[in-house]
């Protein structure tokens, strides 16, 4: 795997509060202390309106211009930090948030953070580094969880650690390579050259592959993304609802035409009984007639007499392999389309077991995972 430092676009994402220092501290730890150096090509800071004002005055401007100073002191290339890279959190009505006080504020902040990280991770040429330092704890949690949902192998999560005596000083932004005196709140003098800033790398579980493609490619709320992962983590369960004419598979409601529904129900009843369907291209009159009777019994309960008679006429010689194969393929296509993720869809598909010559078909689900709601 390519190192995050080798990606052409390298983004540092932070959620800050009233301490813009964490941005320069993290850049220092990544670009100066770390090997190989991860020099961001872009900073993206999400904060409240009060926090944004502090970032503008201390980091983005030319005076005191702490970000530009850091780059100059350590001969770093310019780091992109445009006006629209500083993003103010907004409430549900679009108003700028001065603080996160209510549940609605939390929800709006979570949605903004997850959408930002989803968009950044959609770029294959980007390596994303998310810092948990600064801001309210809930915002740090949302950032970390969003990265867990959407993060890829090249993405990283960290927290910056600063010497305690320097951490309490509002004048400290990063360790300088030269002598510079600042003061703590109790007026104790410190030399910024003596500060120790380290990065604590935080391992995280990457759940991106468990998200439906629609949520990876399109906008989703924080709650929708969490719910999608929860659906994927639940044990597989199949519910065939003959009253509603649909099945629940992989957390998805799938409507089926009567023919497919009857076919699936017939397969499922055999699975519930611990049996598989014996079906080969070679004709077996007794077997084929028994299968036709069982299938027609399912189908007859779902359609009117005329439709039932039409299918019944095609089965004078029993349920043939061609009919079985076509309906199996059609059913599996519908299920794959509805469930999207191939691994998640697998247990619900009508599968072939054993050697091809044996022609045994059924479901990989255990019987306790299958239920049928009768019409």
């Amino acid at each position: 795997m390519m190192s995050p430092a080798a990606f052409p676009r390298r983004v540092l994402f932070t959620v800050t509060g009233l301490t813009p220092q964490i941005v320069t501290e993290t850049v220092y730890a990544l670009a100066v202390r770390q090997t190989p150096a991860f020099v961001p090509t872009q900073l993206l800071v999400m904060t409240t309106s009060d926090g944004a004002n502090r970032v503008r005055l201390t980091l983005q401007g030319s005076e005191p211009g702490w970000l530009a100073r850091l780059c100059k002191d350590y001969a770093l290339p310019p780091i992109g930090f445009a006006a629209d890279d500083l993003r103010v959190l907004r409430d549900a009505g679009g108003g700028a948030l001065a603080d996160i006080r209510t549940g609605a504020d939390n929800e709006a902040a979570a949605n903004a953070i997850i959408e930002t990280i989803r968009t950044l991770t959609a770029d294959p040429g980007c390596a994303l580094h998310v810092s948990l330092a600064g801001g309210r704890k809930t915002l740090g949690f949302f950032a970390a969880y969003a990265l867990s949902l959407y993060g890829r192998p090249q993405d990283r999560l960290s927290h910056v650690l600063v010497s305690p005596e320097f951490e309490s000083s509002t004048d400290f932004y990063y360790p300088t390579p030269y002598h510079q005196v600042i003061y703590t709140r109790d007026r104790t003098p410190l030399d910024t050259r003596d500060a120790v800033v380290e990065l604590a790398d935080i391992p995280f579980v990457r759940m991106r592959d468990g998200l439906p493609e629609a949520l990876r490619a399109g906008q989703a709320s924080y709650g929708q993304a969490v719910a999608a992962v929860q659906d994927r983590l639940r044990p597989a369960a199949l519910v065939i609802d003959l009253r509603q004419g649909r099945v629940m598979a992989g957390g998805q409601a799938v409507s089926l035409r009567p023919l497919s529904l009857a076919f699936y129900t017939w397969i499922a009843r055999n699975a519930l009984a611990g049996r598989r369907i014996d079906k080969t291209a070679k004709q077996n009159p007794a077997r084929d007639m028994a299968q036709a009777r069982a299938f027609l019994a399912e189908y007859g309960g779902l359609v009117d007499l005329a439709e039932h008679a039409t299918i019944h006429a095609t089965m004078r010689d029993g349920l043939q392999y061609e009919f079985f194969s076509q309906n199996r393929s059609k059913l599996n296509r519908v299920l794959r389309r509805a469930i999207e993720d191939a691994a998640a869809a697998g247990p619900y598909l009508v599968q072939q077991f054993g050697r091809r010559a044996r022609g045994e078909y059924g479901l990989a689900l255990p019987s306790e995972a299958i239920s049928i709601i009768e019409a």
Side-chain angles (χ1 to χ4, degrees):
M1 186 194 73
M2 190 161 64
S3 164
F7 278 74
R9 184 185 181 200
R10 302 175 299 278
V11 179
L12 170 60
F13 175 80
T14 67
V15 182
T16 68
L18 302 180
T19 53
Q21 294 93 328
I22 67 101
V23 177
T24 45
E25 290 165 358
T26 305
V27 171
Y28 168 84
L30 287 170
V32 180
R33 291 275 298 173
Q34 181 174 280
T35 303
F38 181 91
V39 183
T41 57
Q42 179 187 5
L43 298 184
L44 206 158
V45 177
M46 191 165 281
T47 184
T48 60
S49 56
D50 290 345
N53 189 51
R54 297 194 183 204
V55 171
R56 288 190 196 98
L57 293 175
T58 60
L59 301 184
Q60 286 187 317
S62 57
E63 181 58 40
W66 285 110
L67 179 61
R69 284 193 192 189
L70 169 63
C71 292
K72 181 180 178 182
D73 284 347
Y74 289 98
L76 300 177
I79 296 174
F81 192 25
D84 58 359
D85 291 331
L86 177 57
R87 302 186 182 178
V88 178
L89 293 165
R90 300 189 176 277
D91 60 25
L97 286 171
D99 199 357
I100 310 296
R101 293 290 185 186
T102 68
D105 292 345
N106 258 318
E107 183 178 357
N111 291 341
I113 290 168
I114 201 167
E115 176 58 16
T116 299
I117 288 179
R118 184 199 67 79
T119 302
L120 289 169
T121 54
D123 178 3
C126 170
L128 175 63
H129 193 105
V130 174
S131 173
L132 295 186
R136 287 190 174 271
K137 290 182 176 64
T138 50
L139 298 184
F141 173 83
F142 292 143
Y145 200 79
L147 190 64
S148 190
L149 288 170
Y150 287 101
R152 305 151 303 169
Q154 70 263 34
D155 302 323
R156 298 291 185 270
L157 180 68
S158 73
H159 189 286
V160 70
L161 304 173
V162 181
S163 307
E165 64 273 22
F166 288 91
E167 194 175 27
S168 63
S169 173
T170 57
D171 294 327
F172 177 74
Y173 281 79
Y174 60 89
T176 56
Y178 47 77
H179 173 72
Q180 176 178 269
V181 177
I182 60 173
Y183 294 88
T184 64
R185 290 173 184 171
D186 63 3
R187 303 305 297 166
T188 301
L190 298 171
D191 188 343
T192 55
R193 185 171 51 185
D194 298 332
V196 176
V197 173
E198 297 180 314
L199 205 66
D201 186 70
I202 302 173
F204 63 94
V205 177
R206 291 165 172 83
M207 296 183 283
R208 183 183 184 87
D209 290 340
L211 283 173
E213 179 58 32
L215 290 189
R216 292 201 297 267
Q219 188 170 357
S221 71
Y222 180 84
Q224 286 173 324
V226 172
V229 172
Q230 286 178 327
D231 283 340
R232 290 294 194 266
L233 295 177
R234 289 191 185 104
L238 171 66
V239 179
I240 297 178
D241 189 343
L242 297 176
R243 290 179 299 187
Q244 299 292 326
R246 66 179 190 180
V247 302
M248 289 296 297
Q252 299 293 318
V254 186
S255 294
L256 295 175
R257 294 181 180 276
L259 193 64
S260 291
L261 185 61
F263 184 81
Y264 205 16
T265 306
W266 171 51
I267 299 288
R269 288 198 198 278
N270 278 274
L272 281 169
R275 297 190 300 266
R276 292 171 181 163
I277 304 295
D278 173 21
K279 200 71 203 168
T280 60
K282 185 177 180 180
Q283 289 188 339
N284 180 325
R287 176 203 65 188
D288 295 345
M289 288 305 301
Q291 289 173 350
R293 287 192 293 270
F295 169 77
L296 288 169
E298 295 290 353
Y299 188 59
L302 300 176
V303 295
D304 61 28
L305 188 61
E307 287 186 70
H308 183 263
T310 300
I311 295 297
H312 189 280
T314 68
M315 296 193 179
R316 290 193 185 93
D317 298 323
L319 195 154
Q320 301 300 310
Y321 176 79
E322 184 179 2
F323 177 89
F324 181 90
S325 181
Q326 289 176 350
N327 280 276
R328 171 182 173 243
S329 297
K330 186 184 300 183
L331 172 63
N332 284 351
R333 275 199 306 272
V334 172
L335 293 171
R336 285 193 185 97
R337 195 181 309 126
I339 300 174
E340 294 182 351
D341 182 69
Y348 303 100
L349 304 180
V350 179
Q351 302 181 18
Q352 182 175 12
F353 296 87
R355 298 190 305 275
R356 180 174 293 275
R358 291 183 63 183
E360 289 189 347
Y361 295 85
L363 301 176
L365 291 168
S367 59
E368 60 268 21
I370 303 170
S371 58
I372 298 175
I373 301 174
E374 303 294 346

